[in-house]
Amino acid sequence: MPSIVPSITRRCWRPAVVGLLLGLLLGVPLLARVPGVHSVRAAGPTITGLHVAGNTLVNGAGQAVRLYGVNRSGAEFACVQGWGIFDGPADDASVAAIAAWQVNTVRVPLNEDCWLGINGVPAAYGGANYQQAIAGYVNRLNAAGFAVILDLHWTAPGTTLANGQQPMPDRDHAPAFWSQVANAYKGNSAVIFDLFNEPYPDSNQDTDAAWRCWRDGGSCAGVSYTAAGMQELVNAVRGTGATNVIMLGGVAYSGHLSQWLTYRPSDPAGNLVASWHSYNFSACSTQACRDAEIAPVAAQAPLVAGEIGENDCAHGFVDGLMDWLDAHNASYLGWTWNTWNCGSGPALISNYDGTPTAFGQGVKDHFAARAGAPPPTATPPPGGGQTVVDDLNDFSHITAHSANLGFDTTNTSVIGNDPSRLVRTAMTQEWAVWSLSGLTQFSATTYYWPYEAFSPFTFAVSPDNNTYTAVTPSSNNLGGDWTRVDYTLTPPAGTNYVKVIFPTNSAYAWNPEIGQVRYANSGGTATTTPTPAPSPTNTPSPTPTNTPTPAPTSTPTAKVAAHVTAKLGNVSNQETQYRVRLYNDSATPQSGLTVRVFVDLSELFAAGLSGADVATAKYWDQCGAVAIGPAQNWRAGTTIYAIDLTWQGYTFAPGSACEVQFSIHPSGWQAVWNSANDYSYQGLNGGAYRRTDRLPVYQNGVRVAGTEP
C-alpha cells in the first residue's frame, strides 16, 4: 500500500492483546484442525495447477481462474517488532471466516529478515520458527481451497532491520529470500509468488529510469543501496526449478503499469502476471487512466489487482473499480483482513469472525454477487461456424501448455516471413493445447532448420482435456530457407481439444518452430496456407563498412539471418566466462558480423573503479578471427557497457558457425564483479548451450538479430 498515507497502521501498528496472539501461536499445533471448519471451501474452480495461458490464469484442468480475495497483513511487521508472527488469529476458524466471504485467494505479506532469521529478529519469530508458521498457514489456506500469494513486503539492505517498505528489493537479501521461498513451495502450484510489494524507484516517478531499475536493478536513482531487479528475482525463483506463477507489481507503489509490457522480464516458464495496486489516493486512480494504461496490459497478460481499497470508510471508489476489473477479466484482492480503524487505512473487517466494516461491506457484497455469476472461460467461445487464427505472438489462444515454451521473433526473412513463432526454450518434449467446442478442422504451419534431421510434430485429440488419443495428420513439405511443413488434421467427432507435441531429436531447443495455427468447428473453414511461402534465398544488400560502436538504439534489419547460442564457464566475484557460438542461418555467405555483450558495471563504480578497469581474455577462437573490443558506455547516464566480439575479415559460409570462449573481469582481478545484473548473462548457465537474444548480432554496425537493453 502506498506510503502516501504515512499513518497507515500496517507499518507500525501493534495490537493491545499480545498475550492472546502468543497463546494462539504457542498453544495450537502447526496443522491443527477445528472439527467441521475444514469443510468450508473457497469459491470457484479448483486452484491447483495454476499457470498462465495468454492473458488468463488457468488451473490444471484448463479452467479459467480469477482470483478474488483479501490481504492478510501482519507477518511483515509483527516479527520485527518483537511480539509475534501474525496480527490476529491464523487458525482454521479464521480461515473459515474468510471463506464465508466467497473468495478463493489470500495474499500473505512477508518480511525477508524474519524469513532469513537475520539482523536481530528475535529467534522466536524468525528463521525456522517464522518459516514453519507461514507453512502452517499456507497449508490451512490450501486445505480450505484457497490460492495463496506470498508477497515480499518489508525489506532492507545489509545489516539494517527490515522494519518498513523500501523503494526496491535489495540485492543483499531478496534473491536469497526468493530462492529459499521458491524451494519451499515449488511443489505447490496453488502458491503464487509476488516478488516485491510496491516498487517506487527514481523517487516514485513513472520514468524510463524507474522501469530500467525495476527490471535490471543495480545502482538506481532514488535508491540508496544496490537494488535487485525483477529479472534477477525471476531468475532466483526459476533457478530452483519452481514454475509457480509470478506476480510483478509496477512502479509508483505498483500504481503504474505504463511500461510493464516493455520491461517485462524473460521467464522460461511463461508464467508472469501483471500486479497493480489501486486506491482512491494512489496513482492511476481514474477510469481514464485505467482505460489508457492498465487495459492494454490486461489484454496481453493476466492482471491481478493485488491491493484495492479506499481510506474514507466507504466503498464508492472500489465499487466502480471492481466493476471495471470484472469487465477486463481481471482479479482483485481487498486490503486488508485486519481489525484496524478504517480511518487509519482500508480495513475490511471489525472482527476476525468476518464482520465487515462499512468499506468491507461493499467489497463483501461484490464478492457475493460475483460468486453467483457464471465462471469465466479460457477457451474461444463455442458455437457453429467459428474459425480461430492464432498467429502465435502470445499465449492468448493457447488453452494449456508445458513450461518451457516461448516465442521467437528473430530471423523472420528466412522463416516464412513469419514475425513470431512458438518455440521451445529447453531441450525437452514440450506441448501446447488449443480448444474449441466441436472441433472439425485443425492446421499448423511449422518450420524446421534444414541442417538437422527431420522429425515430425505429433498430435493428439481429446473431448475433455484429460484423456488424449494420438492421431496422424496429413503433411505438406514446402521447402524454403527454413523447411516449411504444413500439417492438416480432421479431428474425430466429439473433439474439443488438440494437443501438438514438439519432437526432441534436435540439438537445439529453438528447432523446430510453429508459425501459425488455425482451427474451426462446424460450418467454419480452415486453410493450410496461412502465411506467404518462403523465398528460396536471402541475399544481403550492400551495407557501409564502418566499425560498430555502442549506440542507444538500433533497428533490426533483414540483411542476414543469424542467431547466437551461449553457455557459461567460470562465474565468480572476479569474472564471467562466456562460450558464444554465432550462426549464419542464411543461404548465402556473410561477413562483417559482430556479437555484442552487455554488462552492468554498477558494482565496479561502487568499488571506485571505472569502465576503463574492465579487461577481457580470449581462451579459444574456433575460426581464429575474433577481435574483442574494449568496454564502452552503452547509454549515457547509465552503468551499462558494451563489449564487441567482431569476426574481422571472416566470411561465414551458409549454415556455418564459429565459437569463441573468453572472460570479462576487472583488470586487477578485484573481487567486486557481479554477473547477476548483466543483461547478456540472463538466462544462461553452465549446462547446455542455449539460444539467447541478449547477445545481439550486428552486420557492419546494423543490428540484424537479438535485443538490446
Side-chain angles (χ1 to χ4, degrees), residues 55-77:
N55 68 342
T56 307
L57 274 176
V58 298
N59 62 17
Q63 298 171 300
V65 175
R66 285 177 64 191
L67 306 179
Y68 304 102
V70 301
N71 285 264
R72 185 67 180 88
S73 183
E76 75 273 35
F77 59 76

Side-chain angles (χ1 to χ4, degrees), residues 596-669:
R596 188 160 288 162
V597 186
F598 292 101
V599 295
D600 187 328
L601 303 184
S602 55
E603 69 275 10
L604 269 68
F605 295 155
L609 303 177
S610 69
D613 294 304
V614 176
T616 60
K618 184 168 62 172
Y619 297 131
W620 185 59
D621 184 351
Q622 180 182 8
C623 297
V626 174
I628 304 179
Q632 300 185 55
N633 190 223
W634 171 247
R635 185 178 288 112
T638 75
T639 56
I640 299 176
Y641 277 63
I643 298 169
D644 282 358
L645 315 174
T646 302
W647 276 259
Q648 291 184 336
Y650 184 81
T651 299
F652 283 75
S656 68
C658 287
E659 179 172 336
V660 59
Q661 299 182 10
F662 60 97
S663 167
I664 307 175
H665 55 86
S667 57
W669 292 94

